[in-house]
Every structure is written in C-alpha cells, then in structure tokens.
C-alpha cells in the first residue's frame, strides 16, 4: 500500500521503436526486399493461374497460339490481300506474324497489369504484402503464357513460305525479348496505379492499345507511307516499333540490329521500369482504400 492508501501500480515502459502503422509505405529499399522475399509465392501463383486460365475451354492452352494466328490471318487478308500493304516488304508473312505475336505480348501485359490492383482489392484488404506483387505476377503470368507462343512463332516463320533462314543472329532474340519484358513490367506498374486511382481509365486502355498497334508498324512499313524524315525518325522512337524492327532483323533478315536500336530499347525498358516501380511504390498506402 502507498502512503495515501492506494495500492502500488506497476508501470511498464513500452518501446515503440521498430513499430509502425499497418499499411504504412516502407522505404524503397525495404519495399524491394519485401517483394523479393515473396518471389516464390509470385511464381507459384503465376504458374497456377496459367494452368487454370483456359481450363474451361475445349481447346485449352491451344488458344494462346490460335488467337494471334487468327488475328494474323485477319490482318493478312485485309492489309496483305486487299490493301496490298505488304508490297515491297520481304517475307510479308513472317513480318506480319512477328508483328502480331510480339505486339500482343505487350498489349496483354498492359491490360492485365492495369487491372491487377483494382481486381485484387479483396486480397489487398485481407493480407499485408507489397502491392507491387500483383502487377508483377500479372506480367509473369503473361510471360509464362508467351513461351509456347514464341516457340510457335519461331516454327511458323521457318516453315511458312517464304521460309526464314535460321542464323546465329537468332541468339540475339532472347536479349530483345528480355528488354521487351522489362518494358512491359514498367508500363504494367504505371497502369496499375493509374487505374487503381481512376477506374474509368481502364476503358481507355483498349483505345490506346489500338492506336499503338497502328503506330508500331505491325502490318505495314512506315518507310512506304511516310516521306518526311523528321516524322519517320519520331515514329521509329516508338518502343514497340523498335522491338518489332529488331526482332524482324534477327529472325527474318539475318541482320544484326544497329547499336542505336539497342540503346533506344534499353533506355525505354529501364526508364519504364524505374519510373513505373517508383510511381507505384509512392501510392502503396492508397491501394484498397478507394
């Protein structure tokens, strides 16, 4: 008992160092470490979703290849047979196949990345994890789905007349594909935060992708339609134009892409990833609250 008749009360000092509010945005380095620590879950989840994504369809995963092939046939009928846009292009069939297959990879990554956060609200509100795992997993899922598509594309450009010749420059293709993948991850992160903040933007993704499709030389050559050298130079800075041009060089025409093309694509890829990741990280505290 104390002198005033009240019982002694035990006082404990609680140190708050190291504690932080739930949902607080961690530092950038800590955020990267948290994301890396969950890499096994991201990979496992992506594999499971790829396996189950087309399970309800009769042809299953065959649609991964059939869809770009059917799109290519439509574009060939319209632009190759009717509009004759393939005149002056060596191996227009291979030119078109590479354009359709490679462009759709980026288009799908942009689309699924944009909806990854808004579509994962339940998961965000139930578990504490770096939200960047959602768009990263979406891009990884599309990359895994792209493997049989790429194999089919390589086979088609060889077996469909006029046949492409396999050369040592095919070894450069993984480098182009990797830079495209890095670029895809960057724009997926950018789109994920934008759509999470303004849902209406998801309706504009399709329109933007369609405009980008026509602006990337998927089924025609700009050299045949654009005579102004300044306009042509600007067009050729389009990252997807660079991807398609470099891929066609190494797979169809047996040419080594110019050093400038590597610099432009690497700049787009690394710039998009850095900007996209930092932009997404800065909105970490807002996801799931809209």
């Amino acid at each position: 008992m104390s002198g005033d008749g009240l019982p002694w009360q035990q006082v404990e000092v609680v140190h708050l160092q190291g504690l932080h509010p739930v949902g607080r945005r961690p530092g950038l380095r800590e955020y990267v470490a948290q994301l890396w620590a969950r890499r096994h879950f991201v990979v496992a989840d992506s594999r499971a979703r790829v396996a189950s994504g087309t399970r309800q369809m009769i042809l299953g995963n065959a649609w991964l290849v059939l869809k770009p092939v059917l799109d290519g046939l439509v574009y060939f009928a319209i632009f190759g047979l009717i509009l004759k846009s393939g005149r002056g292009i060596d191996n227009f069939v291979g030119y078109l196949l590479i354009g359709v297959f490679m462009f759709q990879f980026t288009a799908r990554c942009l689309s699924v990345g944009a909806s990854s956060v808004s579509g994962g609200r339940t998961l965000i509100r139930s578990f504490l994890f770096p939200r960047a795992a959602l768009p990263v997993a979406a891009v990884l899922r599309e990359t895994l789905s792209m493997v049989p598509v790429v194999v089919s594309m390589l086979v088609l450009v060889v077996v469909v007349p006029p046949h492409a010749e396999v050369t040592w420059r095919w070894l450069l293709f993984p480098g182009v594909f990797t830079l495209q993948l890095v670029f895809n991850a960057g724009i997926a992160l950018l789109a994920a935060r934008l759509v999470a903040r303004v849902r209406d933007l998801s309706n504009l993704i399709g329109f933007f992708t369609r405009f980008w499709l026509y602006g990337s030389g998927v089924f025609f050559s700009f050299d045949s339609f654009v005579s102004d050298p300044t306009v042509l130079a600007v067009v050729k800075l389009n990252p997807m134009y660079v991807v398609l041009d470099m891929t066609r060089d190494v797979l169809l025409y047996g040419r080594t892409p110019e050093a400038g093309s590597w610099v432009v694509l690497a700049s787009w890829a690394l710039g998009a990833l850095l900007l996209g990741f930092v932009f997404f990280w800065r909105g970490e505290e807002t996801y799931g609250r809209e």
Side-chain angles (χ1 to χ4, degrees):
M1 298 288 291
S2 60
D4 56 4
L6 297 177
W8 286 104
Q9 296 183 354
Q10 185 177 2
V11 178
E12 296 185 6
V13 178
V14 178
H15 297 281
L16 299 180
Q17 183 179 2
L19 300 180
H20 55 76
V22 175
R24 179 190 66 88
R25 183 184 70 207
L28 186 59
R29 181 179 299 182
E30 180 185 351
Y31 190 73
V32 172
Q34 291 178 2
L35 184 61
W36 177 253
R38 288 161 177 80
R39 64 191 184 278
H40 300 298
F41 169 77
V42 171
V43 172
D45 179 69
S46 299
R47 287 178 175 174
R49 290 178 183 270
V50 168
S52 62
T54 55
R55 187 173 295 169
Q56 303 301 321
M57 300 181 184
I58 296 175
L59 297 180
N61 289 332
W63 280 112
L64 297 173
V65 177
L66 284 175
K67 186 179 185 305
V69 168
L70 294 175
D71 287 340
L73 288 174
V74 171
Y75 294 139
F76 179 76
I78 296 175
F79 293 93
L81 300 179
I82 299 176
L83 299 179
K84 305 293 184 182
S85 66
R87 286 180 294 186
I89 298 178
D90 293 334
N91 195 347
F92 180 66
V93 174
Y95 185 98
L96 184 60
L97 285 171
I98 288 175
V100 172
F101 278 61
M102 297 298 287
F103 184 86
Q104 287 199 355
F105 175 42
T106 293
R108 289 197 306 271
C109 286
L110 175 60
S111 177
V112 299
S115 61
S116 60
V117 172
S118 58
R121 292 193 305 273
T122 301
L123 187 64
I124 289 174
R125 292 168 179 171
S126 301
F127 302 98
L128 184 62
F129 64 96
R131 310 318 191 196
L134 295 175
V136 168
V139 172
L140 178 58
R141 185 163 66 249
E142 292 301 325
T143 304
L144 294 175
S145 298
M146 189 65 181
V147 172
V149 176
V150 167
V151 172
S152 301
M153 181 186 72
L154 297 178
V155 172
L156 287 172
V157 298
V158 171
V159 302
V160 176
H163 313 281
E165 181 183 353
V166 179
T167 69
W168 68 266
R169 290 178 177 84
W170 279 43
L171 297 175
L172 300 175
F173 172 67
V176 179
F177 185 80
T178 299
L179 290 175
Q180 183 186 10
L181 170 59
V182 173
F183 174 75
N184 292 352
I187 62 174
L189 287 161
L190 277 168
R193 182 180 175 186
L194 290 173
V195 172
R197 187 175 184 85
V198 183
R199 301 289 172 77
D200 291 344
L201 291 178
S202 61
N203 296 319
L204 299 178
I205 295 293
F207 294 101
F208 170 76
T209 302
R210 194 172 302 116
F211 177 80
W212 201 9
L213 173 74
Y214 287 98
S216 300
V218 171
F219 30 69
F220 62 88
S221 173
F222 280 104
D223 295 308
S224 302
F225 297 94
V226 180
S227 57
D228 189 315
T230 302
V231 174
L232 192 59
V234 172
V235 166
K236 291 184 177 182
L237 289 177
N238 172 0
M240 281 312 302
Y241 177 91
V242 180
V243 168
L244 301 185
D245 188 56
M246 294 176 69
T247 303
R248 288 162 178 156
D249 276 347
V250 300
L251 297 183
L252 285 186
Y253 305 129
R255 296 194 296 251
T256 303
E258 296 179 357
S261 297
W262 289 103
V263 171
V264 170
L265 184 55
S267 299
W268 272 111
L270 297 178
L273 181 63
L274 179 61
L275 176 63
F277 191 84
V278 172
F279 180 70
F280 187 92
W281 162 73
R282 290 181 64 86
E284 182 74 9
E285 297 175 340
T286 66
Y287 305 132
R289 296 181 182 178
E290 296 84 358

